[in-house]
Amino acid sequence: MRDKIVAGNWKMNLSFEEAIHLATTLNGWVADNQPIPQVIIAPSAIYLQTLLEGVDEQYIKIAAQDVSTHEKGAYTGEISAQQLDSIGLDYSLVGHSEQRQYHGETDETVAQKMEQLYAHQITPILCIGEQLEERQSDRHFDVVKNQLLQALKPQIVENLTNLIVAYEPVWAIGTGQTASPEQAQEMHAHIRQVLLEEFGVELANNTSILYGGSVNASTAEELFSQPDIDGGLVGGASLKYEDFTQIITSIKA
Ligand code: 13P
C-alpha cells in the first residue's frame, strides 16, 4: 500500500546555516514523534550533500528540486541524475510549475528527466497541475491527464517501480488560495483513475499522490483526510518549523 508523505519544497530559500538548522531540528522532532508520515525535504542543490549527511535517512529523505534532461557533458549549470545518484540521493522533484513557467520546461523535457531519474533509480516526485484559465474553461481534468501521460512514456513505464505524483494547481501556488478539499480530492481521484486505466491497479494503488498549493497548518488536516490525498508538497509553510511540523501531524501515518 502507498505511503503517507509530507514533502517540503524549500525552493530558492534559506542560507546554508538556516538550512542546516531547520533540517537538523526537524530530524530531531521526527525522531521524537514516531510514527509519522514519511518526511522529505527538497533544499537548493548546493545543500543536498550536507543535508544528506546531516539528517538520519530513516527520519528525513532529501530530494533535489530538478534534474538535467542529459546524461552528462557540456551543460553548464546543470546537474545530472547520475551526479545526484553519486551522492546517494533517492528523490527528485520534476516538472515543477516554476520550472515550466520560468525555464521553458515542457512535457517533453519532463519525460526526458523522468527517464534520467529512472535510469539512476531516483524516485521522481512528478509535479502536474492546471493554470487558472484551464480550470475556468473546464479543461483541468484533460490538462492534468495529458501532463501525466506525457511524463510516463512507454520506455519509462517499463521501469516504473516508484512514483510519487504531486498535484499542484498553478493558481494555488504561493497565492494563499488553497484548492478546496473537494476540488483537490476530485482531481486526485481522477489522477488515480488515469493510472488505473493506463497502467493497472498496482501502480494506481501504490502511487502516493500529494497535494501542493498554499498548504498551511489550518488547511492541511481537511485536505489530508480525503481518501485519495496521501499527503502534501508544501512550499512557503515548510520553511517555518512550527507550521511544517503541525502540517505533518495533520496526517495519520
Ligand atoms: P506554496 O505552498 O508556497 O504555495 O508552494 C507550493 C509548491 O509549489 C510546492 O512545490
Side-chain angles (χ1 to χ4, degrees):
M1 219 25 204
R2 55 189 181 262
D3 294 329
K4 301 285 187 188
I5 299 170
V6 179
N9 176 8
W10 287 357
K11 308 191 180 185
M12 196 174 71
N13 291 295
L14 304 180
S15 69
F16 185 51
E17 271 171 39
E18 289 166 341
I20 292 175
H21 178 70
L22 183 53
T24 51
T25 321
L26 270 177
N27 187 77
W29 180 86
V30 174
D32 290 345
N33 284 277
Q34 293 292 319
I36 228 163
Q38 179 63 63
V39 177
I40 303 177
I41 52 180
S44 294
I46 49 166
Y47 307 153
L48 285 171
Q49 188 169 4
T50 307
L51 294 196
L52 270 175
E53 288 164 4
V55 301
D56 186 334
E57 69 170 338
Q58 70 169 305
Y59 299 130
I60 295 187
K61 309 279 190 205
I62 304 294
Q65 293 180 5
D66 190 30
V67 65
S68 176
T69 55
H70 303 286
E71 178 75 23
K72 63 181 198 171
Y75 300 101
T76 302
E78 298 195 25
I79 300 173
S80 70
Q82 188 178 44
Q83 291 173 316
L84 295 176
D85 183 34
S86 75
I87 62 164
L89 201 91
D90 292 327
Y91 296 86
S92 179
L93 302 185
V94 58
H96 193 278
S97 66
E98 286 150 17
Q99 284 291 327
R100 295 180 195 256
Q101 187 177 351
Y102 304 127
H103 296 285
E105 183 94 289
T106 61
D107 289 334
E108 185 55 37
T109 56
V110 172
Q112 289 164 358
K113 291 177 179 186
M114 293 284 288
E115 209 170 335
Q116 288 295 324
L117 292 173
Y118 278 117
H120 296 281
Q121 287 87 48
I122 296 172
T123 300
I125 303 172
L126 170 65
C127 304
I128 53 179
E130 82 283 359
Q131 314 260 357
L132 183 59
E133 61 272 21
E134 291 166 337
R135 177 167 282 267
Q136 285 170 337
S137 56
D138 212 19
R139 288 182 291 135
H140 45 301
F141 291 116
D142 287 344
V143 166
V144 166
K145 177 177 182 177
N146 190 50
Q147 287 175 341
L148 184 63
L149 295 183
Q150 292 295 316
L152 297 173
K153 294 266 161 63
Q155 67 271 31
I156 295 168
V157 175
E158 251 175 49
N159 301 314
L160 206 58
T161 44
N162 293 316
L163 172 68
I164 299 170
V165 174
Y167 167 57
E168 299 205 302
V170 178
W171 48 271
I173 295 178
T175 58
Q177 196 192 339
T178 321
S180 70
E182 296 72 29
Q183 285 172 322
Q185 164 56 28
E186 67 173 357
M187 185 60 86
H188 282 230
H190 172 67
I191 292 168
R192 204 174 304 286
Q193 185 62 26
V194 173
L195 291 175
L196 176 69
E197 283 166 10
E198 302 287 333
F199 309 111
V201 66
E202 204 175 326
L203 189 71
N205 284 344
N206 291 342
T207 299
S208 300
I209 307 177
L210 314 183
Y211 169 78
S214 296
V215 175
N216 60 42
S218 52
T219 55
E221 189 163 355
E222 214 186 333
L223 281 165
F224 295 167
S225 67
Q226 305 299 314
D228 287 293
I229 301 183
D230 305 308
L233 178 55
V234 185
S238 73
L239 300 167
K240 299 179 203 132
Y241 171 80
E242 276 78 19
D243 290 19
F244 194 52
T245 50
Q246 201 178 328
I247 289 168
I248 298 167
T249 49
S250 305
I251 191 166
K252 306 284 167 286

